[in-house]
Amino acid sequence: MLRPHGLKGELKVLAFAPGAPNLQAGRRVFVAGERHTVTRAREGDGAWILELSGLKERSAAEPLRGLLVEAKDGDVGRNDDESYFIHELVGLRVVTNEGRDLGVVVEVMQMGASDVYVVRGEAREVLIPAIGEVVDEIDVAGGVIRITPLAGLLDESK
């Protein structure tokens, strides 16, 4: 949240996703651990102005300055069937399509055009680009990411 907006307890927030699909009227959110329902949402000056249940005055919104507006994973609308939360990926084992075990995802670096999975194995760390040409399958329930490495990606000569 950026700051309170106006005198009626509204909040001015930045959204992580275009169109703020998880901040629209009727959505359940949490601020400082308290559950609220978005009763009204509108765009304004590059941000979103939210009216939340239980916040009726600026004095109620002021202590929330700078806090995150959050939602439970199950309540968050995903962009598509191939979208994952970072915490779902961290800890997954990464194996090549030939069965070579590369290690476990320890971090997801958000680099702009595509994410990069930091995979730590017994011998070394490997950076795996999260692109369709490399990532064949992400099986969160099975705990594995299957990849087809690009030429030179796993170059062991270094």
Side-chain angles (χ1 to χ4, degrees):
M1 179 182 96
L2 293 175
R3 61 180 175 79
H5 178 81
L7 301 174
K8 297 182 180 179
E10 292 177 312
L11 309 174
K12 185 173 186 179
V13 303
L14 290 177
F16 289 119
N22 298 300
L23 298 176
Q24 298 305 310
R27 300 303 299 242
R28 294 180 299 177
V29 296
F30 294 82
V31 183
E34 283 191 39
R35 181 179 164 182
H36 298 275
T37 300
V38 177
T39 55
R40 183 174 174 214
R42 66 186 190 282
E43 285 188 87
D45 296 327
W48 284 83
I49 310 300
L50 302 182
E51 181 181 298
L52 302 181
S53 62
L55 300 178
K56 300 297 179 198
E57 299 174 354
R58 183 179 182 95
S59 61
E62 190 64 47
L64 306 178
R65 181 184 294 267
L67 298 179
L68 288 175
V69 176
E70 302 174 291
K72 289 184 177 180
D73 287 354
D75 291 341
V76 174
R78 297 178 190 249
N79 294 337
D80 54 47
D81 290 341
E82 295 182 0
S83 294
Y84 299 92
F85 297 113
I86 290 173
H87 72 268
E88 291 177 308
L89 300 172
V90 171
L92 295 183
R93 182 145 304 279
V94 178
V95 297
T96 68
N97 55 2
E98 297 169 342
R100 181 176 171 195
D101 188 333
L102 300 178
V104 173
V105 176
V106 295
E107 180 182 356
V108 177
M109 298 188 306
Q110 297 180 297
M111 306 298 289
S114 66
D115 292 346
V116 175
Y117 304 151
V118 179
V119 179
R120 188 167 297 141
E122 287 184 26
R124 66 187 193 133
E125 198 169 85
V126 181
L127 302 179
I128 305 293
I131 57 175
E133 294 85 1
V134 174
V135 178
D136 296 324
E137 176 188 15
I138 297 175
D139 180 359
V140 174
V144 69
I145 297 175
R146 297 188 198 294
I147 69 164
T148 300
L150 296 173
L153 183 68
L154 303 177
D155 185 2
E156 308 262 337
S157 63
K158 297 179 183 178

